[in-house]
Amino acid sequence: MRLRCRSWRDPRDHRRQDRFAGLRKYKGSDGRLRTSARHIDPILSTEDVPAHSFDRVDKISPGQVVDIEIDLLPIGLRFNPGEQLRFAISVRNLLGTMMAGIGEYVGANTGRHVIHTGGSTPSYLRLPVRKR
């Protein structure tokens, strides 16, 4: 299974937003998605992996709450009892560049970004768990 992050967002005062999600122990996994490219292809998507169509631009109006699903890169980690996991959602890349020698991407994010949780907008991180 792959890691999958779902969050409900609304841009309080700006329509263009980039999202980065990351999971850390010592090493980690990350995913990224421009919010306006959030459309999910229902045929290619599976329960574990959201497949984005990237065939349209769905801009968001200020105050509009939208569902964003980010597929995180696959990674294998073992956790012992008492160890902790850190998950972060950010408007900037928390890992830096993916390859040496490439300039870091700087998005056009401005204004306040709100992540909604609970009720009809349940943000969550889905983790596959395999017991020994």
Side-chain angles (χ1 to χ4, degrees):
M1 264 200 244
R2 304 259 308 256
L3 302 172
R4 183 175 184 164
C5 162
R6 176 179 225 161
S7 65
W8 294 79
R9 305 165 179 208
D10 87 69
R12 288 295 159 109
D13 41 26
H14 191 63
R15 293 171 53 151
R16 216 173 135 182
Q17 298 181 340
D18 296 318
R19 287 291 177 263
F20 296 87
L23 184 65
R24 307 281 175 274
K25 180 181 174 184
Y26 303 110
K27 298 178 180 178
S29 175
D30 76 334
R32 57 189 71 195
L33 180 70
R34 173 153 289 160
T35 306
S36 62
R38 68 190 177 279
H39 181 260
I40 299 288
D41 183 319
I43 295 170
L44 297 177
S45 293
T46 67
E47 185 177 340
D48 296 324
V49 181
H52 297 88
S53 64
F54 298 111
D55 63 350
R56 65 193 76 187
V57 174
D58 292 326
K59 297 209 176 191
I60 306 168
S61 300
Q64 178 185 3
V65 179
V66 295
D67 184 10
I68 309 296
E69 293 188 71
I70 301 174
D71 181 31
L72 280 72
L73 296 170
I75 188 169
L77 294 173
R78 174 181 284 174
F79 289 88
N80 297 309
E83 288 187 317
Q84 295 183 353
L85 185 66
R86 178 177 176 248
F87 179 68
I89 297 175
S90 178
V91 296
R92 64 184 180 86
N93 188 352
L94 300 173
L95 287 180
T97 62
M98 294 186 82
M99 295 173 45
I102 296 177
E104 185 169 347
Y105 171 77
V106 178
N109 296 307
T110 61
R112 293 185 302 156
H113 302 241
V114 177
I115 297 175
H116 295 260
T117 60
S120 63
T121 55
S123 296
Y124 59 85
L125 171 65
R126 181 178 172 185
L127 296 172
V129 176
R130 189 177 79 178
K131 295 185 179 184
R132 295 171 99 187

